[in-house]
Amino acid sequence: MTLPEFGLFLISILASVAGQWLLKAGALKLGRVDASNFVSHVFGMITIPELLAGLTCYALGAIVYILVLTRVKLSVAGPGVALVYVFSLLIGYFVFRESIPLSRLVGLGLIICGVILVIWKS
């Protein structure tokens, strides 16, 4: 993967992570959904700026990912997207104060090692 390809790839990942962060922030404003408030919550989603911004970030990430796929093998780009999980876990911990059990840390380490093995010298 060349430096410009890696740059596009990184933009795609960061846009997706920003989307997840914004969607979580918007979901917290939306509140818990159950059968009695489902319809109102679905319509309420269009009034929460964080949710709209999160969807926009996801769209940007998808567009950039398509650009990456024009230059990089799917067998490299696809598994590399797993880095979104790493950043999402870190945002969950540092921003939303979510706990990270040991089993999740081990899984995170395995994801990082796997991505390194897949993209190494490809």
Side-chain angles (χ1 to χ4, degrees):
M1 188 179 294
T2 66
L3 191 57
E5 292 165 349
F6 182 75
L8 282 174
F9 186 67
L10 190 60
I11 291 169
S12 174
I13 289 172
L14 293 176
S16 296
V17 169
Q20 285 195 8
W21 174 58
L22 288 163
L23 290 176
K24 176 64 176 178
L28 290 173
K29 280 187 171 181
L30 187 64
R32 190 173 185 93
V33 178
D34 56 38
S36 66
N37 64 10
F38 176 78
V39 174
S40 66
H41 273 55
V42 169
F43 286 115
M45 288 179 190
I46 62 172
T47 65
I48 298 175
E50 290 87 349
L51 293 177
L52 297 174
L55 291 172
T56 302
C57 285
Y58 263 140
L60 175 64
I63 290 167
V64 176
Y65 184 67
I66 292 167
L67 298 176
V68 169
L69 291 176
T70 68
R71 303 174 63 133
V72 176
K73 294 177 184 177
L74 179 61
S75 61
V76 173
V81 173
L83 291 175
V84 170
Y85 302 137
V86 174
F87 290 113
S88 295
L89 186 132
L90 294 173
I91 287 173
Y93 179 76
F94 288 110
V95 175
F96 297 109
R97 305 289 183 227
E98 298 173 355
S99 64
I100 304 174
L102 180 60
S103 61
R104 202 169 299 153
L105 281 175
V106 171
L108 184 71
L110 291 172
I111 289 171
I112 293 169
C113 290
V115 169
I116 290 170
L117 289 173
V118 168
I119 66 172
W120 186 262
K121 300 202 180 200
S122 44

